[in-house]
């Protein structure tokens, strides 16, 4: 009990669960997209808390004796939820990195539009890859694995206890490195194509100085680049999906 406040144990448990799950679901790829209305995301978070609340309630700590202690405990759970949700969002930046590289290699870097996954303007290949990854999360069991990982995060990060900040920082750094590495690996077929294509253009411009290389090369560059991207799209998606599955397994 709090001094001057009559707060039941069930209400405290509900606040604890919602603080963490709300932070995760508001940022998780697929469910936490800004294009989804906030009320729908909030309703889904509440429904999910009702489902897992009875399961995780025995592992929750006792209510603190002061109002300040209650605020610190709830704030800590919110911070853990936001941290996990942001970590899952980091892997989605692999599509933006790969799309930016592909845009430069295919000559589409200047063609930009609003990317709902990143919340800012991005090149067209990056927007396409981000939307593909979000669709893959929703149509495959990936979103189920992430929801199970969110419920299982209480074993990795017990409720009411601050996380190991050094390990958390190393975890985030590893995810950033993996996102950049995966982005480069996804764009690697286009990187090889760009090196060969522009080398060929350099040789052609030396052999035929009077030729209008720019008008000849741009349509061919876009056509071949899109063809290579279409042929390797399955491998790109599988590479990102495998890393996202391993991320979800680390929380269980």
């Amino acid at each position: 009990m709090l001094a001057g406040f009559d707060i039941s144990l069930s209400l405290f448990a509900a606040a604890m669960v919602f603080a963490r799950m709300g932070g995760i679901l508001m940022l998780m790829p697929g469910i936490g997209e800004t294009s989804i209305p906030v009320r729908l995301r909030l309703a889904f978070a509440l429904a999910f808390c009702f489902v897992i609340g009875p399961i995780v309630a025995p592992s929750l700590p006792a209510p603190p004796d002061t109002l300040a202690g209650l605020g610190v405990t709830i704030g800590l759970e919110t911070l853990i939820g936001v941290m996990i949700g942001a970590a899952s969002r980091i892997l989605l930046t692999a599509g933006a990195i790969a799309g930016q590289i592909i845009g430069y290699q295919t000559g589409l870097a200047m063609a930009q539009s609003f990317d709902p996954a990143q919340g800012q303007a991005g090149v067209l290949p990056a927007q396409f890859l981000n939307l593909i990854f979000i669709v893959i999360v929703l149509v495959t069991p990936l979103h189920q694995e992430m929801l199970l990982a969110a419920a299982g995060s209480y074993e990795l990060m017990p409720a009411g206890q601050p996380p190991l900040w050094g390990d958390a920082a190393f975890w985030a750094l590893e995810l950033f490195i993996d996102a950049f590495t995966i982005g480069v690996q996804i764009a690697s077929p286009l990187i090889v194509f760009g090196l060969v294509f522009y080398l060929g253009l350099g040789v052609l411009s030396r052999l035929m100085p009077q030729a209008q290389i720019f008008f000849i090369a741009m349509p061919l560059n876009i056509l071949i680049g899109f063809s290579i991207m279409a042929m390797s799209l399955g491998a790109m998606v599988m590479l990102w999906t495998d890393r996202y599955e391993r991320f979800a397994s680390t929380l269980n």
Side-chain angles (χ1 to χ4, degrees), residues 129 132-133 136 140 142 182 185-186 231-246:
L129 288 176
I132 286 292
F133 292 158
I136 291 299
T140 63
L142 280 178
I182 293 173
Q185 290 175 346
I186 289 174
M231 290 186 291
S232 57
L233 185 60
M236 296 176 181
V237 172
M238 290 181 62
L239 179 64
W240 183 86
T241 302
D242 179 70
R243 182 60 184 91
Y244 195 81
E245 287 179 345
R246 287 190 284 115

Side-chain angles (χ1 to χ4, degrees), residues 218-231:
M218 282 302 297
L220 189 62
N221 188 18
I222 296 174
L223 177 62
I224 299 178
F226 277 173
S227 300
I228 294 176
M229 185 175 176
M231 290 186 291

Side-chain angles (χ1 to χ4, degrees), residues 51-90:
V51 173
I52 70 167
I55 300 175
V56 302
S59 63
L60 298 178
D65 296 328
T66 62
L67 183 60
L70 176 63
V72 171
T73 303
I74 298 298
L76 184 61
E77 287 299 297
T78 304
L79 180 61
I80 293 175
V82 171
M83 182 176 65
I84 296 175
S88 66
R89 178 67 58 174
I90 289 174

